[in-house]
């Protein structure tokens, strides 16, 4: 018995030692991973890796709120969201998405219209929206109904890299895809000008392949740079918005529908020390000077009024008297032609006048008296005719 007890003790000690060794090895691997990916700004650079929907939903919803505040209606906005954060079990504030740790403003709120959500957010659907190649069954609310006089603001955000952006962690859209989609829009006259903004790692590479005219583009970071988050929400445990988008939205809060602030002023406000990356701007395809291009040309819903010249209708002069026929010249009578609409209107006016005359109290009494005397006269005539026959 003592032998078996000692044997069991040795087995238990060996199992415990193996478990401790395995645990230490696992913890060391995890620690080395986070140390290797530690952000140079302090903290973990991968803190939001598996929570990107929370982070990037706030980015997109912040832009959505801004363009709506500046006058663009929901009918002119196509909003595509993964939409898996507001009701996620890890969200301590169900049905809400905030862009700052203080949670002053619920970006999800009640007044939001998501056009594509969840698994509808695909590369194919995104390109179809841009190019207009939609199935006939797709409703108008999910279509980009633009034309050659439309200015379009395209905002993209998510996880990306050198010339690619991830969709739902399942597929990627490349810089070539976006460039070709914009070219199709140009060939099909689906835009006047495009402002393309993207917030992702190595974002500036995503507009490097554009070649269509009248496109202005900006990104949050150069090639080889990450796009960092702005602030962490300790209650949720993740960062809720990216730095680039945060400072763009902060600048946009000073803009209203009648602002004359230019795009150049927006780009000049981007501070590398705050964003912690180098935002880029590409304007070689854009015709207008940036200091003369207003922000509201893309973010605002200002109505443009076009004055149409009046129709050139020949007028008939009534000052010149009609020509009298000369001696010996036969008199020519020209029938007066009246449009059917005018004749119908005149007949209608006559009927209305007669009805009005008959319904006047005084005229109605006179009409009854006239009918009475006419009846008496008719009876007298009949009596006289009968007497004459006899």
């Amino acid at each position: 018995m003592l032998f078996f007890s000692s044997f069991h003790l040795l087995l238990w000690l060996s199992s415990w030692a193996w478990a401790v060794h395995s645990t230490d090895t696992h913890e060391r691997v995890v620690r080395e991973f986070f140390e290797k990916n530690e952000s140079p700004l302090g903290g973990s650079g991968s803190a939001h890796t598996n929570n990107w929907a929370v982070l990037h939903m706030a980015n997109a919803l912040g832009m959505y709120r801004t363009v709506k505040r500046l006058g663009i209606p929901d009918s002119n906005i196509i909003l595509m969201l993964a939409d898996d954060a507001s009701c996620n079990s890890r969200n301590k504030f169900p049905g809400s998405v905030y862009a700052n740790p203080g949670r002053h403003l619920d970006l999800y709120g009640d007044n939001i219209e998501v056009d594509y959500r969840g698994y509808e957010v695909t590369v194919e659907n995104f390109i179809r929206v841009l190019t207009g190649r939609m199935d006939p069954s797709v409703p108008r609310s999910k279509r980009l109904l633009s034309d050659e006089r439309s200015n379009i603001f395209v905002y993209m955000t998510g996880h990306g890299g050198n010339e690619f952006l991830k969709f739902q962690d399942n597929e990627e859209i490349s810089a070539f895809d976006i460039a070709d989609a914009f070219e199709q829009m140009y060939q099909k006259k689906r835009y006047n000008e495009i402002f393309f903004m993207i917030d992702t790692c190595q974002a500036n590479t995503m507009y490097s392949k554009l070649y269509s005219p009248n496109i202005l583009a900006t990104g949050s970071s150069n090639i080889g740079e990450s796009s960092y988050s702005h602030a962490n929400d300790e209650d949720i445990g993740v960062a809720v918005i990216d730095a680039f988008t945060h400072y763009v939205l902060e600048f946009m809060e000073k803009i209203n529908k009648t602002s004359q602030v230019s795009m150049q002023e927006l780009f000049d406000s981007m501070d590398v020390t705050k964003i912690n990356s180098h935002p880029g701007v590409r304007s070689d395809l854009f015709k207008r000077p940036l200091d003369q291009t207003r922000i509201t040309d893309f973010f605002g819903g200002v109505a443009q009024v076009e004055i149409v010249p009046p129709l050139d209708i020949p007028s008939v002069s009534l000052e010149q008297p009609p020509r009298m026929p000369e001696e010996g010249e036969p008199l020519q009578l020209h029938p007066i032609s009246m449009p059917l609409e005018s004749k119908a209107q005149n007949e209608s006016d006559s009927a209305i006048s007669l009805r009005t005359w008959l319904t006047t109290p005084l005229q109605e009494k006179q009409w009854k008296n006239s009918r009475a005397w006419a009846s008496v006269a008719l009876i007298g005539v009949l009596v006289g005719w009968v007497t004459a026959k006899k």
Side-chain angles (χ1 to χ4, degrees), residues 17-35:
W18 176 256
V20 170
H21 174 72
S22 300
T23 303
D24 290 342
T25 303
H26 179 70
E27 290 181 353
R28 180 173 52 82
V29 171
V30 172
R31 185 169 58 253
E32 289 177 354
F33 171 80
F34 280 103
E35 289 176 353

Side-chain angles (χ1 to χ4, degrees), residues 311-320:
L311 298 176
D312 187 12
I313 302 176
S315 58
V316 179
S317 176
L318 300 178
E319 297 180 357
Q320 183 178 2

Side-chain angles (χ1 to χ4, degrees), residues 105-121:
L105 177 64
D106 182 8
L107 295 176
Y108 210 75
D110 299 324
N111 188 21
I112 176 176
E113 293 185 14
V114 182
D115 300 292
Y116 293 82
R117 68 176 72 235
Y119 291 109
E120 291 181 314
V121 183

Side-chain angles (χ1 to χ4, degrees), residues 118-138:
Y119 291 109
E120 291 181 314
V121 183
T122 63
V123 173
E124 178 183 354
N125 283 342
F126 177 70
I127 293 178
R128 285 186 179 277
V129 167
L130 293 179
T131 59
R133 297 185 175 183
M134 312 292 288
D135 188 270
S137 62
V138 177

Side-chain angles (χ1 to χ4, degrees), residues 207-345:
Y207 57 69
S208 61
K209 305 304 178 183
L210 300 180
Y211 54 93
S212 304
N214 300 331
I215 298 179
L216 176 63
T218 184
S220 60
S221 53
N222 280 331
I223 184 172
E225 287 186 335
S226 297
S227 183
Y228 295 105
S229 58
H230 172 62
N232 290 325
D233 189 326
E234 295 181 357
D235 291 325
I236 300 178
V238 296
V240 290
I241 194 169
D242 282 335
F244 175 79
T245 298
H246 169 79
Y247 288 108
V248 169
L249 294 176
E250 185 178 74
F251 181 88
M252 294 301 299
E253 285 298 310
K254 308 171 187 176
I255 308 300
N256 56 44
K257 296 179 182 180
T258 59
S259 295
Q260 302 296 316
V261 179
S262 68
M263 298 297 292
Q264 186 63 59
E265 293 177 73
L266 170 63
F267 299 142
D268 291 341
S269 70
M270 297 177 180
D271 190 344
V272 175
T273 60
K274 293 181 178 180
I275 299 175
N276 299 307
S277 60
H278 293 79
V281 177
R282 183 177 177 187
S283 59
D284 59 299
L285 300 172
F286 197 68
K287 293 181 179 179
R288 294 192 289 158
L290 298 185
D291 58 353
Q292 298 178 20
T293 304
R294 293 180 299 178
I295 289 180
T296 52
D297 289 347
F298 296 99
F299 286 86
V302 180
Q304 301 293 334
V305 180
E306 179 181 359
I307 301 177
V308 180
L311 298 176
D312 187 12
I313 302 176
S315 58
V316 179
S317 176
L318 300 178
E319 297 180 357
Q320 183 178 2
R323 186 181 70 85
M324 299 301 294
E326 299 180 359
E327 186 178 355
E329 181 180 353
L331 180 63
Q332 297 181 357
L333 299 178
H334 300 279
I336 300 176
S337 61
M338 181 180 295
L340 294 178
E341 294 83 355
S342 300
K343 292 172 67 177
Q345 183 66 31

Side-chain angles (χ1 to χ4, degrees), residues 382-390:
L382 291 175
V383 170
W385 180 74
V386 171
T387 304
K389 284 291 184 179
K390 292 181 179 180

